[in-house]
Amino acid sequence: MELKELKAKSAAELQAHLTELHKEQFSFRMQKATGQLAKTHDIRRVRREIARVNMLLGQKK
């Protein structure tokens, strides 16, 4: 998701999105551990998006 789209969300929506991203990150970690992860770049994408959401949550407080 782009930064513009994330900025338009409320703090509650960002928190829900963050929870979803953490679940996705966990899923990717499990796939990597079992050797089933085909797109390794997705781990990096999710990690960066988590950082973006955390940054925006800090700014909104």
Side-chain angles (χ1 to χ4, degrees):
M1 194 173 287
E2 290 196 19
L3 192 58
K4 286 182 181 180
E5 296 170 6
L6 290 174
K7 283 183 179 181
K9 290 187 174 192
S10 68
E13 290 173 329
L14 285 174
Q15 194 64 40
H17 187 60
L18 184 63
T19 303
E20 186 179 310
L21 287 171
H22 279 297
K23 287 179 184 177
E24 189 176 356
Q25 184 183 33
F26 177 77
S27 173
F28 286 148
R29 276 200 326 257
M30 291 300 112
Q31 287 177 16
K32 183 179 179 186
T34 59
Q36 297 174 348
L37 185 63
K39 299 178 183 176
T40 57
H41 65 276
D42 283 337
I43 294 173
R44 185 176 183 185
R45 178 190 55 81
V46 170
R47 203 173 74 229
R48 286 183 175 189
E49 192 164 345
I50 288 172
R52 284 187 190 107
V53 171
N54 281 330
M55 176 194 65
L56 290 172
L57 281 172
Q59 287 178 353
K60 289 189 184 266
K61 287 186 180 180

